[in-house]
């Protein structure tokens, strides 16, 4: 836990900002700060109220420098799961998260927050990078599935999980409680929306046999609010198309589909100067957007997302808040110069509450 000085240096500004935004009186703010100091003096800890937890999680999304989708920060639903103790209870809460967030394709932003860290100990850790992710198997002929999942897949196999060995095997949930041995749970197929990738003009791209899951639920970052750390707080928005079409399916160290797309489209790959990669990239991204929309699943293209971020910037200016950002992440990985973000500068200053990377649990 933080020292008394560091602790109050985080708790007090959070409470003041949170209570200001919630339109609470100065008397309520002062009373709460005195209560927090008293609690901390007695037990070296305090608990956030449900209202503080909810608004703090929303503020953390608003402060996330790498996220282009922050316009919708105030729509975040918060599931308070701090009372859950057992791996089975946590598993059920994660299954509920997947179902609620998916919502038949009309994706709902959601965060599920488990017990906070105390005395430097994490009571709950979720080993998965995302709740939904495809396995990656090392074979003599190369990686089958997602190369980005090779290390975690090895851990799952060592724990006793057995995948089917296909390119799109959903990994299990791996949950660790209070330093005990981790436990894995298969995710039921019926709660996972997976979308086959097809193209509106090029049916031959169906030969890729590609698919992707509808909801990106980040589950290995920690949430920090008012000096309290939550090591397990999986959260989701919805996909921007390029996350799938220009990264997950296209990167050479991921599914590396651009050469196959180019072959199926009959593109001239004899020279980089033919821009075959660019042409293949555009059509793969069109396919992703088309497929999600055909399936009724929420998704946003990168141009619309950039326009939404501009509205977020305007809203924050009206509210008297500075917009911080990591430019290298905010620019989309495709046609960035066609967005206003490319031509702006942002201060990459960390403001709390926020989400942070943490050491892997394995």
């Amino acid at each position: 836990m933080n020292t008394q000085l560091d602790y109050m240096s985080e708790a007090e500004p959070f409470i003041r900002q949170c209570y200001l935004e919630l339109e609470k009186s100065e008397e309520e703010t002062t009373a709460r700060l005195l209560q927090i100091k008293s609690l901390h003096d007695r037990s070296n800890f305090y608990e956030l109220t449900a209202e503080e937890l909810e608004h703090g999680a929303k503020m953390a999304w608003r402060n996330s420098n790498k996220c282009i989708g922050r316009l919708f920060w105030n729509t975040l639903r918060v599931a308070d799961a701090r009372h859950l103790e057992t791996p089975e209870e946590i598993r059920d809460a994660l299954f509920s998260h997947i179902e609620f967030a998916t919502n038949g394709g009309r994706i709902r932003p959601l965060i599920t927050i488990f017990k906070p860290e105390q005395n430097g100990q994490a009571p709950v850790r979720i080993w998965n990078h995302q709740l939904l992710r495809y396995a990656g198997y090392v074979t003599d002929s190369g990686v089958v599935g997602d190369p980005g999942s090779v290390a975690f897949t090895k851990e799952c196999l060592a724990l006793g999980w057995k995948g089917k060995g296909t390119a799109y095997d959903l990994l299990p949930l791996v949950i660790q409680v209070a330093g005990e041995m981790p436990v894995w749970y298969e995710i039921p197929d019926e709660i996972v929306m997976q979308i086959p990738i097809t193209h509106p003009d090029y049916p031959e791209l169906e030969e890729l046999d590609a698919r992707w899951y509808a909801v990106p639920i980040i589950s290995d970052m920690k949430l920090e609010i008012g000096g309290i750390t939550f090591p397990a707080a999986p959260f989701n928005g919805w996909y921007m198309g390029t996350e799938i079409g220009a990264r997950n399916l296209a990167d050479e160290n991921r599914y590396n589909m651009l050469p196959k797309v180019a072959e199926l489209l009959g593109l001239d790959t004899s020279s980089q100067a033919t821009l075959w990669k660019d042409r293949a990239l555009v059509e793969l991204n069109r396919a992703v957007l088309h497929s999600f929309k055909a399936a009724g699943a929420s998704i946003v293209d990168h141009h619309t997302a950039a326009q939404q971020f501009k509205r977020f910037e305007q809203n924050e200016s009206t509210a008297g808040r500075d917009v911080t950002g990591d430019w290298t992440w905010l620019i989309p990985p495709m046609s960035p110069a066609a967005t206003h973000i490319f031509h702006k500068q942002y201060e990459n200053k960390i403001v709390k509450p926020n989400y942070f990377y943490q050491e892997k649990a394995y």
Side-chain angles (χ1 to χ4, degrees), residues 258 261-262 265 267-283:
L258 293 187
V261 171
L265 297 181
L267 301 180
D268 178 4
T269 61
S270 63
S271 166
Q272 301 283 16
T274 66
L275 301 186
W276 67 267
K277 285 186 179 180
D278 306 74
R279 295 170 67 190
L281 193 64
V282 167
E283 298 307 338

Side-chain angles (χ1 to χ4, degrees), residues 126-192:
I126 299 166
W127 282 26
N128 308 64
H129 167 55
Q130 296 182 21
L131 296 188
L132 305 174
R133 191 78 162 181
Y134 296 121
Y137 307 97
V138 177
T139 72
D140 292 339
S141 55
V143 174
V144 173
D146 191 345
S149 295
V150 164
F152 181 56
T153 302
K154 287 180 179 177
E155 294 292 335
C156 293
L157 293 169
L159 290 171
W161 176 75
K162 290 181 174 60
K164 297 176 182 176
T166 77
Y168 297 99
D169 286 358
L170 280 170
L171 286 159
L173 297 177
V174 178
I175 298 164
Q176 187 172 23
V177 172
E180 298 175 359
M181 282 293 295
V183 184
W184 64 269
Y185 299 101
E186 201 80 59
I187 302 173
D189 288 338
E190 58 268 22
I191 71 171
V192 181

Side-chain angles (χ1 to χ4, degrees), residues 75 77 94-110 132 189-195 213-217 236-238 292 295-299:
T75 69
R77 309 285 189 95
L94 296 179
F95 287 172
S96 294
H97 185 129
I98 294 168
E99 289 189 278
F100 182 90
T102 304
N103 190 32
R106 296 175 62 85
I107 309 302
R108 293 182 284 202
L110 173 67
L132 305 174
D189 288 338
E190 58 268 22
I191 71 171
V192 181
M193 186 176 191
Q194 299 186 69
I195 296 165
Y213 46 88
V215 192
I217 310 172
N236 70 275
W238 48 79
F292 269 64
S298 303
I299 197 166

Side-chain angles (χ1 to χ4, degrees), residues 290-337:
H290 163 78
S291 301
F292 269 64
K293 289 176 180 178
S298 303
I299 197 166
V300 64
D301 67 89
H302 51 293
H303 296 292
T304 301
Q307 292 170 350
Q308 292 170 345
F309 189 74
K310 191 171 187 176
R311 286 171 53 200
F312 169 72
E313 294 176 89
Q314 294 166 345
N315 290 350
E316 291 303 286
S317 177
T318 301
R321 294 187 291 260
D322 294 328
V323 174
T324 58
D326 185 336
W327 183 89
T328 62
W329 276 72
L330 290 177
I331 56 170
M334 182 176 162
S335 306

Side-chain angles (χ1 to χ4, degrees), residues 82-98:
R82 291 177 293 176
H83 60 289
L84 301 183
E85 302 276 355
T86 68
E88 292 78 17
E89 290 174 330
I90 295 162
R91 171 203 63 195
D92 291 346
L94 296 179
F95 287 172
S96 294
H97 185 129
I98 294 168

